[in-house]
Amino acid sequence: MTYGRSIKLFFDGGCRPNPGPIECAVVRKGVSHYRHDFGEGSNSDAEWLAAILALEVAAQNGDRDIMLLGDSTLVVTQANGTARCRSPELETHRTRFTDLAAGFDRVRIRHIGRAQNLAGIALARLHPR
C-alpha cells in the first residue's frame, strides 16, 4: 500500500496530584483537544488515555495514516511492543489502544522531548504558575 503524508498528533496526559484527577490534551494541525472527564488515576493512566484520545481525534477527522508524538517513554515503548505492561490497568489501556489503532491504515508512535510536545505545552497553559 502506498502511504501519503502522515497526520501528526501530539498527545500528553497528567494528573495533579499523582494519583489524582486525569487531564489529557491532543494537538492536531494546531488545534488543541482537551478531556478532563477521565476520573482519577496515575500519570501512567493519563498518558495512555491521552494516546487513546489521539486515536479518537484522528478517527473523528477521518485520518488514515497517523504519527502520534508523545513524551511518555512508557506509553511509546509499550505501544510499540518493546516493553511489557507491568500492571493489569496498563495492559487494559494498551489493549484499547491496539484495538483502536487497528481501524487505521497506518499508526506510528514516537517519543519526543517534553519541550517539543505541543500537547504538553497546551496542558501547561491550563495551569499558569
Side-chain angles (χ1 to χ4, degrees):
M1 174 176 282
T2 303
Y3 294 103
R5 186 176 169 125
S6 291
I7 300 295
K8 292 180 182 177
L9 295 102
F10 296 82
F11 69 93
D12 197 22
C15 53
R16 294 169 192 232
N18 182 23
I22 293 173
E23 60 184 8
C24 299
V26 171
V27 175
R28 179 189 176 276
K29 292 188 172 186
V31 177
S32 299
H33 304 264
Y34 299 100
R35 288 274 307 267
H36 303 280
D37 59 353
F38 285 116
E40 302 272 324
S42 70
N43 278 336
S44 297
D45 293 316
E47 293 285 2
W48 264 114
L49 291 170
I52 290 166
L53 177 61
L55 292 176
E56 291 170 350
V57 168
Q60 289 166 1
N61 284 282
D63 301 330
R64 303 300 309 150
D65 180 356
I66 60 174
M67 168 70 75
L68 304 181
L69 303 165
D71 57 37
S72 172
T73 301
L74 175 108
V75 170
V76 171
T77 57
Q78 289 177 352
N80 282 325
T82 58
R84 67 182 187 90
C85 295
R86 298 186 180 266
S87 74
E89 295 81 12
L90 296 180
E91 183 61 36
T92 298
H93 296 317
R94 189 193 66 76
T95 299
R96 173 83 174 124
F97 178 89
T98 302
D99 290 347
L100 288 171
F104 294 87
D105 293 339
R106 183 166 69 160
V107 175
R108 291 172 293 151
I109 184 167
R110 194 179 81 182
H111 183 268
I112 58 172
R114 180 171 296 282
Q116 287 76 43
N117 190 346
L118 299 180
I121 294 166
L123 275 181
R125 287 185 183 140
L126 297 178
H127 304 282
R129 294 181 185 233

